[in-house]
Amino acid sequence: MKIGSITIDRPVILAPMEDVTDRAFRQLCKRYGADMVYTEFVSAEALRRGAEKSVRKLRADDIERPIAVQIFGNTVESMVEAAMIAEEFSPDFLDINFGCPAKKVAGKGAGAALLREPEKMVAIASAVVRAVSIPVTAKTRIGWDHGSINILDVVPRLEDAGIQAIAIHGRTRSDMFNGKADWNWIRAAKELARVPVIANGDIWTAEDALAMFDTTLADGVMIGRGSIGNPFIFSRTKRLMATGSPGPHPDFRERIQAAIDHLELSVTFKGEKYGTLEMRRHYSTYLKGLPKVSVVRNKLVREESWEQVIDILHSYRQECEGYAAQGRIHCDTEYLNDHSVRLVLNYQV
Ligand SMILES: Cc1cc2nc3c(=O)[nH]c(=O)nc-3n(C[C@H](O)[C@H](O)[C@H](O)COP(=O)(O)O)c2cc1C
């Protein structure tokens, strides 16, 4: 797959996720082999106002490259201004969000709402392309609802506007996150696209990622929810693609260590207080399925000192060593295939 000067063969990509793909999580996923990452979406209006919280989301380290900054907005003017601000932070690409179904975004005419206004979508895309010198990509859904699936119309229009790659989540806006992503629409879009297509939706395992490549013939695949508490999905997918086997499932040691690494990164970038607080929502997925996990989780979400959290995780690892010696910890397949991971997400619609 080639975007601008960057070429990656069959990339496995971390999807943009609000409140998830911050610097800490992106860097963790890079360690596990993610080929490319996106920031959380950043509001064009907020950037324009100079909102500190939004500007902070533009920061990244070289280790994260190639990285796309994603912006969303509902006017050409705000998106052009935001694009120029984002470019100053030197991301490799700028991505436009044309797919968010959340009320706070689509309800205001941005994100997936632009699927209902293709003229405006194209006006935003071409103005942003003209405003910056880095490649501009787009991420969208297959349509607004099942009566108006228009991805095959939208793709050539975005290409004509100068968009250099298109990530497609195989759902409509009205699907929200229900049902299953329709990979056949992604394949249909790929068949007519001139720019690289990145396929997204319902990759929960390394095997799913490979099936996504095979079904859609896409140039890259993008993983969202399946990576939360499970950055191993990147290394497992890469290994499966390279050798035909994803290797063994991560055991409790690796999963606890990943939680510790994630916490350390989180504290590095957000400071002790927020870094520790924001990690609370992640422990249940890292530890899911392990013995007596509710006891340790209750301790973890009450603790304010990150060093104490690490101590708790270390002693839990010791406790698990005991269970393992008794043969009471088995393969983690159930955890990895457990789509109910969705239930613990804090995605407001
Ligand atoms: C918690 C959460 C936050 C998300 N935030 C964004 C976002 O900021 N920008 C975006 O384009 N998509 C966002 N998405 C959608 C994902 O990028 C992705 O398209 C969707 O989750 C489907 O992929 P998956 O089945 O691999 O999760 C978000 C999804 C979740 C679950």
Side-chain angles (χ1 to χ4, degrees):
M1 183 176 91
K2 186 165 165 26
I3 308 174
S5 61
I6 289 173
T7 306
I8 319 171
D9 187 33
R10 309 226 305 161
V12 184
I13 300 168
L14 173 65
M17 286 185 282
E18 186 190 19
D19 289 337
V20 179
T21 58
D22 56 11
R23 242 156 127 187
F25 190 63
R26 296 194 302 260
Q27 295 194 14
L28 187 73
C29 290
K30 284 299 275 195
R31 286 183 194 172
Y32 284 93
D35 289 306
M36 191 175 138
V37 299
Y38 286 62
T39 62
E40 307 168 64
F41 63 18
V42 190
S43 156
E45 275 304 329
L47 276 186
R48 217 180 180 186
R49 287 196 310 271
E52 172 54 27
K53 198 171 162 221
S54 300
V55 175
R56 212 180 306 132
K57 289 185 181 166
L58 302 175
R59 294 201 191 112
D61 293 301
D62 279 343
I63 199 168
E64 296 167 45
R65 293 188 185 280
I67 177 167
V69 162
Q70 191 191 64
I71 55 174
F72 72 93
N74 59 4
T75 66
V76 170
E77 297 72 33
S78 66
M79 289 294 274
V80 163
E81 209 175 311
M84 286 160 60
I85 296 169
E87 188 181 23
E88 284 167 25
F89 287 76
S90 308
D92 297 284
F93 321 117
L94 190 70
D95 187 72
I96 307 180
N97 181 313
F98 291 131
C100 181
K103 270 210 187 87
K104 65 178 180 183
V105 175
K108 291 187 182 152
L114 289 157
L115 282 162
R116 288 208 292 192
E117 291 188 87
E119 304 291 334
K120 190 169 174 188
M121 180 192 252
V122 167
I124 289 176
S126 51
V128 168
V129 166
R130 281 196 307 272
V132 295
S133 53
I134 50 176
V136 180
T137 60
K139 178 166 177 286
T140 189
R141 291 189 173 221
I142 57 177
W144 176 259
D145 61 23
H146 283 264
S148 61
I149 291 179
N150 59 350
I151 188 66
L152 302 186
D153 173 49
V154 160
V155 165
R157 286 185 184 216
L158 289 176
E159 289 173 334
D160 291 344
I163 290 295
Q164 295 199 28
I166 303 175
I168 305 171
H169 176 190
R171 284 187 174 84
T172 65
R173 190 270 175 179
S174 61
D175 291 332
M176 304 306 273
F177 282 87
N178 299 321
K180 264 197 78 74
D182 188 338
W183 295 359
N184 294 322
W185 277 110
I186 304 176
R187 179 176 179 140
K190 168 62 197 165
E191 275 165 5
L192 66 80
R194 286 169 276 138
V195 299
V197 167
I198 299 167
N200 170 240
D202 292 343
I203 297 176
W204 297 96
T205 64
E207 290 80 1
D208 289 344
L210 210 59
M212 178 67 110
F213 270 119
D214 290 347
T215 308
T216 63
L217 305 179
D219 302 275
V221 296
M222 175 184 271
I223 306 176
R225 293 163 297 170
S227 69
I228 300 177
N230 184 28
F232 321 102
I233 195 167
F234 294 104
S235 46
R236 289 175 58 75
T237 301
K238 307 280 292 190
R239 190 161 163 184
L240 179 63
M241 287 163 64
T243 69
S245 160
H249 288 286
D251 64 11
F252 66 88
R253 299 174 192 90
E254 289 168 89
R255 286 165 51 185
I256 293 171
Q257 190 56 48
I260 292 173
D261 293 347
H262 192 168
L263 171 63
E264 284 176 348
L265 285 163
S266 186
V267 168
T268 303
F269 297 122
K270 298 201 166 154
E272 164 148 19
K273 184 169 170 210
Y274 290 108
T276 311
L277 259 175
E278 292 195 5
M279 267 304 287
R280 287 182 177 175
R281 70 178 94 114
H282 292 289
Y283 297 121
S284 44
T285 36
Y286 280 111
L287 307 179
K288 193 162 187 148
L290 294 179
K292 302 197 179 161
V293 71
S294 56
V295 180
V296 67
R297 206 177 44 223
N298 282 342
K299 284 193 216 160
L300 289 168
V301 299
R302 281 187 175 80
E303 188 48 67
E304 285 176 9
S305 143
W306 70 287
E307 276 136 337
Q308 288 298 323
V309 169
I310 290 181
D311 279 351
I312 295 169
L313 286 167
H314 280 149
S315 25
Y316 183 56
R317 180 160 53 197
Q318 275 314 110
E319 193 182 323
C320 287
E321 292 290 359
Y323 300 128
Q326 295 161 13
R328 286 166 64 193
I329 296 186
H330 301 289
C331 162
D332 296 324
T333 314
E334 194 191 347
Y335 155 76
L336 286 170
N337 288 332
D338 188 351
H339 299 190
S340 67
V341 69
R342 266 174 276 185
L343 297 175
V344 299
L345 295 177
N346 176 25
Y347 190 45
Q348 286 171 356
V349 287

